[in-house]
Amino acid sequence: MSSVVILGGHGKIALRLAGLLRDRGVSVTSVVRNPDHEADLVSRGATPVVLDLEQADAGRIADTLAGHDAVVWSAGAGGGNPARTYAVDRDAAIRSVDAARAAGVRRYVMVSYRGAGPGHGVPQDHPFFPYAEAKA
C-alpha cells in the first residue's frame, strides 16, 4: 500500500483528496495546525497530525514525512496578510520541499493555481500579488 502526507489537510481540496486516496487504498496522513480539525480528517479515513507548518523547521517536517511515498502541499495562509502569505505559501512550502528531500520522499505535488510561476503577470498593487509571488 502506498502512503501520502497532505500538508494543510483541512481545506476543500485536501479533504476531497484524502477521501479519494482512501477509496483507492492509499494510506493518508493529513497535517493540520488546528486540533479541532482532527475529527474531519478521521471521518475521511486520514490519520491526523497536528503541526504548525508556519513555525516548524525542516527537520520537524521531515520527521512527519518519513516513511511516506508522496507529499501533497495544500497548506496556505488564506490571504489577507501579505507577510503571513509569504511565511506559509512560500517559506514553509520551501522548507517542506527540503524536508521531503531529507526524508527521502521523491514525489511532491504543490497545490497552486492555474498560471502560477515566475511569469504570473499579477500586478504588484493587486491583492493577489503576494500569493502569486509565493507560488512563483
Side-chain angles (χ1 to χ4, degrees):
M1 175 189 296
S2 61
S3 61
V4 173
V5 176
I6 302 172
L7 299 174
H10 195 257
K12 288 180 185 179
I13 292 171
L15 289 170
R16 180 172 169 100
L17 178 61
L20 291 170
L21 291 170
R22 177 212 55 220
D23 291 348
R24 288 178 171 80
V26 176
S27 172
V28 178
T29 300
S30 289
V31 176
V32 292
R33 184 182 68 235
N34 186 341
D36 293 341
H37 296 154
E38 289 180 288
D40 291 337
L41 302 174
V42 170
S43 73
R44 285 166 176 81
T47 301
V49 170
V50 176
L51 177 65
D52 185 345
L53 294 167
E54 184 177 2
Q55 302 301 320
D57 65 19
R60 177 65 183 97
I61 298 169
D63 290 344
T64 302
L65 305 181
H68 291 86
D69 301 306
V71 175
V72 176
W73 176 270
S74 188
N81 180 333
R84 186 149 187 269
T85 296
Y86 286 118
V88 175
D89 293 279
R90 181 191 62 200
D91 301 340
I94 290 169
R95 284 194 306 276
S96 76
V97 171
D98 294 340
R101 284 189 187 118
V105 181
R106 297 180 47 131
R107 293 186 293 167
Y108 187 104
V109 175
M110 170 68 67
V111 176
S112 190
Y113 71 98
R114 185 177 177 164
H120 57 72
V122 178
Q124 265 189 308
D125 61 348
H126 193 282
F128 192 70
F129 182 81
Y131 182 77
E133 278 294 290
K135 290 299 185 177

